[in-house]
């Protein structure tokens, strides 16, 4: 996926509706949280097995895809609003996490990095 292409389409969508005026960092973060809530609604009260079964239905596939797309779109919007290169940020964070969670200390463990006994 080309994040810049997504950002351009979202900008065009907002510009055509004169909505950019509402897309402040705070509003976009709150919209992102709202969309995460909508995603959560689709899985709440379902077991993991039920979620996977739901995701295999036509209705579930569309509903999950829609909410994931909403979450991603607002994430891209927040990043743009605060001047963060999302692609660069994600790669940098994966590298940081790799440092925090050395495979030899973290393999098979769900412990937080502060509890691994390695570098923090
Ligand atoms: Mg939604």
């Amino acid at each position: 996926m080309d994040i810049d292409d997504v950002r351009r389409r979202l900008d065009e969508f907002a510009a055509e509706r004169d909505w950019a005026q509402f897309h402040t960092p705070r509003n976009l973060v709150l919209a992102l949280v709202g969309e995460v809530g909508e995603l959560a609604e689709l899985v709440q009260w379902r077991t993991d097995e039920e979620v996977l079964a739901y995701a295999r239905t036509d209705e579930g596939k569309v509903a999950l895809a829609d909410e994931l797309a909403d979450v991603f779109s607002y994430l891209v919007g927040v990043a743009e609003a605060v001047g963060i290169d999302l692609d660069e940020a994600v790669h940098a964070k994966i590298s940081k996490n790799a440092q925090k969670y050395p495979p030899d200390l973290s393999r098979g463990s769900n412990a937080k990095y502060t509890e691994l006994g390695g570098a923090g």
Side-chain angles (χ1 to χ4, degrees), residues 34-35 38-39 66-67 70-71:
E35 295 300 340
E38 290 180 15
L39 178 62
D66 280 353
E67 298 314 333
D70 285 342
V71 167

Side-chain angles (χ1 to χ4, degrees), residues 3 7 9-10 25 35 38 40 43-45 49 56 60 63 67 73 78 94-95 98-99 114:
I3 295 177
R7 189 175 44 74
R9 288 196 65 195
L10 291 169
E35 295 300 340
E38 290 180 15
V43 301
Q44 74 181 358
W45 316 128
E49 284 178 0
R56 288 191 293 268
E67 298 314 333
S73 294
V78 171
I94 291 170
S95 296
Q99 295 287 317
T114 51

